[in-house]
Amino acid sequence: MIELPGYIFEKQLGHGGMAKVYLARHIGLDRLVAIKVLSKDLHGDESFSQRFIREARIVANLTHQNIITVHDVGVYNEFHYIAMEYLPGETLDDKIKKKMNGRQILNITK
């Protein structure tokens, strides 16, 4: 697991082709956050790294009940990361794997 000043990493929540997501505790605020860390394979691609940080900054300026709040974004020891609001519960992947009726699928899509 990685280290990032100001955070205590608790466990990995998930991963994809571009990043891993960890559950961490923000030490100063004493709250749980989700931290998305760009894959080491991609941080060498400067244009991708810049786009990752730029998109995080754009999302950080958005406020809406259906958009996760971004708390922090940056680079530490070549790790590009986004610290964001943590919402416990099922992932979209968990929901997709369950048998759902049409109404449930429509509600998720909305």
Side-chain angles (χ1 to χ4, degrees), residues 41-64:
D41 297 336
L42 296 173
H43 79 77
D45 181 341
E46 190 59 34
S47 67
F48 193 86
S49 298
Q50 288 174 358
R51 190 170 69 235
F52 181 82
I53 297 297
R54 185 175 59 248
E55 288 177 7
R57 289 180 177 151
I58 290 168
V59 173
N61 285 300
L62 300 175
T63 304
H64 188 276

Side-chain angles (χ1 to χ4, degrees), residues 1 6 8 21-22 29 36 38 42 45 56 70 77 81 102-103:
M1 206 159 324
I8 298 171
V21 179
Y22 298 93
L29 299 175
K36 186 177 195 176
L38 186 64
L42 296 173
D45 181 341
V70 172
N77 283 347
Y81 69 91
R103 181 177 288 287

